[in-house]
Amino acid sequence: MSAAFTILGAGVLGLSVATELATRGHAVTLVDPAMGPGGHGCSWWAGGMLAPFCEFESAEEPVLRHGQASIDWWERHAGGVSRNGTLVVALGRDRAELDRFARRTEGFEVIGGNRVAELEPDLAGRFDRALFFATEAHLNPRVALAALQSGLAARGISVTAGPPDDAGEVIDCRGLAARDILPDLRGVRGEMLVLRCPEVTLARPVRLLHPRVPIYLVPRGEGIFMLGATMIESDRRGVVTARSVLELLSAAYALDPAFGEAEILELGADARPAFPDNLPRIGRAAGRLYANGLYRHGYLLAPALARQLADHVETGDKPEFWHETDDQR
Ligand SMILES: Cc1cc2nc3c(=O)[nH]c(=O)nc-3n(C[C@H](O)[C@H](O)[C@H](O)COP(=O)(O)OP(=O)(O)OC[C@H]3O[C@@H](n4cnc5c(N)ncnc54)[C@H](O)[C@@H]3O)c2cc1C
């Protein structure tokens, strides 16, 4: 039976939950004071990597399992998914990092320099060994958010600034703003740059491992790249520090010196919403349902959270990511 829901927050999670519920025939109202996705939300600054195997290096098993399924969800609801895999490399002096990464994950093949050159001709001769995660994917987050928003608009659902009188069941997807009802939510600061460097062509995200400053470059087409990202225990948002810019750009330069000529189009920073175990949660707080804590897996896990939430409101079953506080147990 269809029901009515008001979703607070039009970041990747709110839009994914709205899409899942609307696709299942429910009435949805989407509320965000900013009236849609943009630089005010964490989702705007993401790399858009759908990289469950690489993330498994430092994440729990559910991230791997649900992350794999999310790639099809994005293809179905937003399109624009590039399924070219991920290439992971390390400079000669950091070779041990490649071995450590390989030990901690799965779903890759170890490749030599010739295969690196086949996959990414611009990196020919620079790396004689790499890990290739063939089944991973990436998308352009801003394009994906716009696609979800226009898919909803086609169903008559637009983002409004304030809730309607008859709101139905409220689902809180406000990201870090939900700390007012979720006290153990914290911010993990991530800084990024957008570069234009027509001298370099990459077909897939490339991760350069480093013991202190690992980076990734995600191609956005037409010589544009997202370079990310720092991981700092801080909920500070906004401007990027000089140290982070220096470190990220030095690493990009080490990957390919052609990045020395890149134009810096954007600098951005936001705080990823995270719970203490860095896994997302669905639960009840302040009398409403919430979903939150996507950490560095917003695009990777939003589809799983959206599906689990929709199943929960339809069946009452407790989803895998369900969280109860001590006084609710
Ligand atoms: C540099 C960087 C790189 C990243 N790269 C990746 C990546 O490659 N892959 C990946 O999967 N993840 C990545 N992430 C993580 C991802 O961006 C986050 O996990 C995700 O954006 C969190 O989404 P959200 O919808 O919960 O929050 P947000 O995007 O912050 O959305 C919350 C929304 O709530 C709204 N809001 C606030 N107050 C209210 C209110 N009172 N009522 C209604 N609405 C309100 C806000 O305006 C906002 O639009 C990255 C993050 C960063 C910072």
Side-chain angles (χ1 to χ4, degrees):
M1 211 167 65
S2 70
F5 298 94
T6 289
I7 294 156
L8 304 181
V12 67
L13 186 51
L15 288 168
S16 300
V17 171
T19 299
E20 185 69 27
L21 287 171
T23 307
R24 296 186 189 198
H26 300 290
V28 172
T29 303
L30 194 50
V31 176
D32 193 316
M35 301 287 285
H40 54 273
C42 188
S43 305
W44 196 250
W45 304 107
M49 291 179 297
L50 303 173
F53 292 101
C54 285
E55 290 300 314
F56 188 45
E57 183 247 346
S58 58
E60 306 285 327
E61 182 277 338
V63 175
L64 177 61
R65 183 163 30 95
H66 293 294
Q68 286 175 279
S70 76
I71 298 174
D72 289 339
W73 191 95
W74 281 111
E75 188 72 67
R76 202 162 52 252
H77 292 289
V81 175
S82 300
R83 295 171 182 261
N84 293 341
T86 305
L87 191 65
V88 179
V89 297
L91 298 171
R93 59 175 185 260
D94 301 325
R95 191 73 176 247
E97 289 297 307
L98 206 59
D99 297 332
R100 191 189 57 81
F101 198 91
R103 278 196 303 275
R104 294 178 62 92
T105 187
E106 57 190 72
F108 61 87
E109 56 180 304
V110 180
I111 60 172
N114 289 344
R115 182 88 169 108
V116 171
E118 257 171 52
L119 290 168
E120 298 293 358
D122 281 5
L123 300 182
R126 301 193 58 75
F127 301 97
D128 60 8
R129 198 161 150 265
L131 309 178
F132 180 44
F133 294 79
T135 60
E136 294 192 335
H138 70 282
L139 47 69
N140 182 327
R142 299 176 190 180
V143 173
L145 295 172
L148 291 188
Q149 207 179 351
S150 58
L152 288 165
R155 294 173 185 272
I157 301 163
S158 54
V159 187
T160 61
D165 294 338
D166 180 13
E169 166 108 65
V170 175
I171 304 177
D172 190 324
C173 299
R174 289 179 296 142
L176 211 52
R179 273 182 303 182
D180 55 356
I181 63 165
L182 301 171
D184 53 355
L185 196 64
R186 75 187 199 286
V188 180
R189 180 172 159 83
E191 296 153 301
M192 56 80 87
L193 290 81
V194 179
L195 305 176
R196 183 190 287 126
C197 188
E199 293 80 11
V200 181
T201 302
L202 297 176
R204 55 186 58 73
V206 176
R207 294 184 181 224
L208 177 66
L209 303 181
H210 183 276
R212 208 169 40 78
V213 191
I215 60 138
Y216 53 80
L217 277 146
V218 187
R220 297 260 166 97
E222 299 179 350
I224 296 183
F225 299 87
M226 184 277 198
L227 167 61
T230 55
M231 292 277 292
I232 301 166
E233 286 292 331
S234 162
D235 53 12
R236 195 167 149 236
R237 310 179 65 204
V239 291
V240 183
T241 65
R243 174 200 288 262
S244 297
V245 173
L246 283 169
E247 289 182 343
L248 290 168
L249 283 175
S250 303
Y253 181 74
L255 179 78
D256 187 334
F259 281 109
E261 299 304 318
E263 296 168 41
I264 299 173
L265 301 184
E266 272 184 55
L267 300 168
D270 212 316
R272 308 166 179 94
F275 289 111
D277 61 0
N278 294 332
L279 283 173
R281 291 179 185 171
I282 297 170
R284 264 193 187 279
R288 62 173 78 142
L289 264 176
Y290 72 85
N292 214 316
L294 282 173
Y295 182 48
R296 51 182 282 154
H297 306 128
Y299 290 79
L300 198 57
L301 292 186
L305 249 67
R307 270 194 296 244
Q308 290 190 21
L309 247 173
D311 289 348
H312 171 68
V313 298
E314 288 179 343
T315 66
D317 293 346
K318 298 237 165 105
E320 180 182 344
F321 288 127
W322 187 258
H323 179 81
E324 265 164 336
T325 53
D326 287 343
D327 53 336
Q328 288 170 332
R329 283 195 186 98

